[in-house]
Amino acid sequence: MLCTRLTNARVITMDPARPTAREIGIWRGRIVGLDEEVAALPARQVVDLDGATVLPGFIDSHVHLAWTGLKARTPDIAPSTCVDDILGIVAQAVADAPAGSWVDLGGYDQRTLDRPLGAAELDTVSHGRKVYLGHISGHACLVNTAILDLLPQSVPHTNGFLAEEAMGAALRLRPPHSLTELVDAIETAGWTCRSEGVTACAEAGIGSELFAHSPVEAAAYQLAHEAGRLPIRLQLMVAADALKPVDAAREDMTSRAFGLGLRTGFGDGHLSLGALKVFTDGGMMARTAALTEPYLGTQSAGQLQMPAEQLEDTIVQGHLAGWQLAVHAIGDRAVDVALGALEKAQRLHHRPEARHRVEHAGLVRPDQLARFAAVGATAVVQPSFLRYFGDDYAAIMGSERAPWLYRGRGFLDNGVRLVGSSDRPVADGAPLRAIQFMVERASESGRPIGADEGIGVEEALRAYTSDGAYACHWEDSAGSITAGKRADFVVLEDDPRRVPISKIGDIAVIGTWLEGNRSSKGPTA
């Protein structure tokens, strides 16, 4: 007997062997079969979907759940652009905080302010508290003098503005979040994802010296899982700087390891270890993404996180030790470093199924596309960045480089697997909106950005389903509605292939099913 049979549905399976169906049979969290394979089988419950569209559950291959959940509970100065208004928000947050405490606020963006804001002006409303304004990109911050005074004089800043490693130095002064805080944050963010049709995510880096929320951050995800408070399937990337030198047998090719030597593939089901995350550069909003030519109108071409030779060694050693690699590379100079290191790694020890990934791939020159394909790297892009930050990005890249931003068609036409993600909470995380933006290639103002890089709706759906599963080594259990796979899927009010492209992002999510269990509400559902 089936546990559940779904009937009267428009099923888009994302399985080329059987593209569509009307019925799905589920038993113990797995898909038993489709249509005639299950139509005659008895079921404990039969759910009539009244013509709704069913897709495999969306996979967001690059998110930050703890950060997302913490940010939702943190005072936010966005979208304020008036410094006086921002100071008022800070003053209220300070008034609500205990004397001498650390005060976090989010949403800082130096690009949109009506006038410069610096540490000295923050001091006027700080009243002895340590005030930290997190940048929306996650790659910078603005702090007051109470924090600056605790930093070594060698830490560079401009009137309290700290970027990359300097930001990391400030964060290391912050008291760590408790496991209870982190579990609450992870659960909150997980339910937000699930309400938008997401059934699985890749958490994009735990244990980083730059971005960690606690020295025992991984324990929060394990605790959430054990407590039944992890509403989606989750894969944890491990930041490369969390690895420590080890003395291993020479034939093991392992010079650095995490904990007991665990690596990509450990775990199963709801919680597992994914790729090794390597940061090569910063971000475009903070103007720290590493470019081969300067940002338009400036002398700055961004920065690498460390010397190229050191980055190459980290990538090569991770490859030799058996990790899948997720290399953060936004600027084209960083992409050169990433591809060069992956090429060297594969020459030293060929691993055709390594499935290495380049995270973001924000600016990719035409000459880099063939190298992507040759080394077998997957491009994990964020379509929403074009929508929400596209006007700024196009302006700082100029007319020649703007079409190279967050490519779509260029990757596919060169045989590069294209995977969609949100980088939540940096940008909106709803997959349907991102799918629309992959096709439209337009900013919020309506400005086309590399229109030739637009892809078809079905190609965009693959980026969030079957190709997302492949990038996370989940293709045997997720990514398509196929017999034997987990019953993870999203039920939509309409078919993304049949509505006007501009309306895809407005399609309502009726429900999200994980292992045959439906929920669309939240922790109490």
Side-chain angles (χ1 to χ4, degrees):
M1 176 180 286
L2 298 174
C3 297
T4 304
R5 186 169 68 248
L6 306 182
T7 66
N8 192 18
R10 178 181 287 131
V11 183
I12 306 170
T13 68
M14 304 309 295
D15 181 351
R18 185 165 190 167
T20 62
R22 297 288 293 175
E23 295 194 18
I24 305 173
I26 302 168
W27 184 70
R28 293 189 176 181
R30 294 276 176 167
I31 299 166
V32 173
L34 306 174
D35 292 348
E36 75 284 351
E37 299 166 342
V38 297
L41 296 178
R44 291 193 182 95
Q45 67 169 339
V46 177
V47 179
D48 186 337
L49 292 179
D50 195 26
T53 296
V54 180
L55 275 159
F58 295 128
I59 296 172
D60 191 335
S61 299
H62 184 118
V63 301
H64 302 276
L65 285 190
W67 178 19
T68 299
L70 290 170
K71 185 177 179 182
R73 300 163 189 226
T74 299
D76 201 325
I77 63 175
S80 298
T81 59
C82 174
V83 167
D84 289 338
D85 291 344
I86 289 169
L87 291 173
I89 297 170
V90 174
Q92 184 59 57
V94 165
D96 293 340
S101 64
W102 181 288
V103 180
D104 281 312
L105 295 99
Y108 175 66
D109 187 352
Q110 84 287 356
R111 302 167 304 165
T112 62
L113 303 184
D114 60 347
R115 60 182 171 84
L117 175 61
E121 197 165 7
L122 272 184
D123 293 342
T124 64
V125 294
S126 297
H127 300 292
R129 276 72 160 180
K130 302 172 186 70
V131 176
Y132 180 98
L133 272 60
H135 197 275
I136 61 171
S137 68
H139 287 269
C141 63
L142 181 70
V143 301
N144 67 347
T145 303
I147 293 177
L148 291 178
D149 286 346
L150 299 175
L151 293 171
Q153 290 187 351
S154 59
V155 173
H157 72 92
T158 303
N159 298 323
F161 183 81
L162 304 164
E164 306 302 342
E165 180 55 40
M167 175 200 70
L171 281 176
R172 287 191 286 275
L173 298 172
R174 189 202 185 285
H177 292 282
S178 70
L179 289 178
T180 298
E181 286 180 288
L182 292 176
V183 169
D184 288 346
I186 291 162
E187 182 181 31
T188 296
W191 280 111
T192 299
C193 291
R194 190 157 166 180
S195 72
E196 295 171 345
V198 175
T199 54
C201 289
E203 167 65 47
I206 59 168
S208 168
E209 291 181 5
L210 272 182
F211 306 108
H213 299 100
S214 163
V216 291
E217 193 171 14
Y221 291 92
Q222 183 174 353
L223 183 57
H225 177 38
E226 291 170 346
R229 297 177 62 187
L230 197 58
I232 55 175
R233 204 171 311 288
L234 194 62
Q235 189 177 85
L236 304 178
M237 298 185 201
V238 177
D241 52 18
L243 272 60
K244 306 302 178 188
V246 294
D247 262 338
R250 179 175 298 179
E251 61 267 27
D252 292 338
M253 295 188 289
T254 301
S255 62
R256 301 171 212 170
F258 169 62
L260 300 172
L262 306 178
R263 59 170 175 80
T264 303
F266 180 79
D268 194 10
H270 265 67
L271 188 63
S272 60
L273 281 185
L276 182 68
K277 178 78 174 290
V278 181
F279 289 92
T280 66
D281 68 346
M284 286 187 187
M285 283 182 277
R287 309 305 195 239
T288 52
L291 310 179
T292 52
E293 299 292 336
Y295 292 94
L296 202 65
T298 77
Q299 298 300 310
S300 171
Q303 65 191 68
L304 295 173
Q305 295 283 15
M306 57 186 69
E309 297 78 12
Q310 195 173 342
L311 290 168
E312 179 184 275
D313 181 62
T314 299
I315 291 168
V316 169
Q317 292 304 322
H319 171 88
L320 294 178
W323 285 91
Q324 178 188 25
L325 293 162
V327 186
H328 168 116
I330 292 182
D332 59 331
R333 178 158 58 110
V335 172
D336 276 332
V337 171
L339 295 177
L342 292 175
E343 289 162 351
K344 180 177 180 180
Q346 291 286 14
R347 284 197 304 270
L348 290 172
H349 178 55
H350 188 50
R351 290 176 54 209
E353 284 303 309
R355 301 189 192 179
H356 296 321
R357 309 156 41 135
V358 176
E359 309 297 303
H360 307 297
L363 187 73
V364 176
R365 302 187 309 270
D367 64 284
Q368 293 174 319
L369 293 170
R371 293 179 64 195
F372 249 96
V375 79
T378 293
V380 183
V381 301
Q382 295 75 44
S384 292
F385 284 17
L386 282 180
R387 181 70 167 190
Y388 300 115
F389 316 129
D391 288 324
D392 175 56
Y393 287 8
I396 60 176
M397 289 300 115
S399 58
E400 180 184 2
R401 293 182 292 181
W404 308 343
L405 289 163
Y406 296 92
R407 288 177 178 270
R409 176 56 55 200
F411 283 129
L412 293 179
D413 285 354
N414 280 271
V416 177
R417 195 178 295 266
L418 179 67
V419 170
S421 67
S422 67
D423 203 15
R424 179 194 305 262
V426 178
D428 175 82
L432 284 169
R433 284 194 280 272
I435 287 163
Q436 175 182 324
F437 304 155
M438 291 182 94
V439 180
E440 284 183 330
R441 298 283 304 188
S443 70
E444 277 190 301
S445 72
R447 176 179 184 169
I449 301 174
D452 290 345
E453 289 292 323
I455 63 176
V457 175
E458 292 218 23
E459 292 169 318
L461 289 172
R462 279 203 298 272
Y464 276 89
T465 55
S466 56
D467 284 345
Y470 181 89
C472 296
H473 290 269
W474 280 331
E475 73 276 11
D476 289 341
S477 61
S480 68
I481 297 176
T482 304
K485 293 191 177 184
R486 295 188 179 103
D488 296 353
F489 41 81
V490 57
V491 181
L492 304 177
E493 187 176 56
D494 214 331
D495 184 341
R497 305 169 306 173
R498 296 174 182 267
V499 302
I501 292 168
S502 63
K503 300 298 183 181
I504 293 174
D506 297 328
I507 296 173
V509 174
I510 296 173
T512 307
W513 296 62
L514 192 71
E515 293 189 2
N517 294 312
R518 179 190 184 275
S519 180
S520 59
K521 295 181 181 179
T524 58

